Amino acid sequence: MKHSSWTEVDSRNAKRIWAEYQKQHDITERIGQTAGIDPKSGQIWFGDSAIEIVERRRAEGLTSPLFFERVGYAAYLWKGGRR
């Protein structure tokens, strides 16, 4: 299976789709979940993790790349040193 390369345009489209979705839907019940956004189709999947979303989509035969957001947070993942 071959995918086209992810581009900055894909990231911008996914962010735009996510921003529009948040304006039109109440997401308070989904805070902390993961949102997987397809920048080509505009479809959004929700789950407990990116892995869960990818596995669920794979079972449905869907393999296109997604952009992930953590609902209610500024970043999907934080990485840092120990204190």
Side-chain angles (χ1 to χ4, degrees), residues 31-74:
I31 290 177
Q33 288 186 336
T34 298
I37 304 118
D38 184 330
K40 305 272 191 255
S41 72
Q43 192 167 358
I44 300 173
W45 290 266
F46 292 95
D48 291 329
S49 69
I51 292 171
E52 177 188 318
I53 293 169
V54 168
E55 288 174 350
R56 194 169 68 229
R57 290 181 74 241
R58 189 173 293 144
E60 297 173 16
L62 301 171
T63 59
S64 58
L66 299 178
F67 185 89
F68 293 100
E69 290 278 354
R70 177 79 60 203
V71 180
Y73 291 82

Side-chain angles (χ1 to χ4, degrees), residues 16-27:
R16 179 187 50 75
I17 291 164
W18 180 236
E20 290 174 10
Y21 183 90
Q22 292 178 86
K23 289 177 187 174
Q24 298 173 8
H25 299 86
D26 178 9
I27 60 167

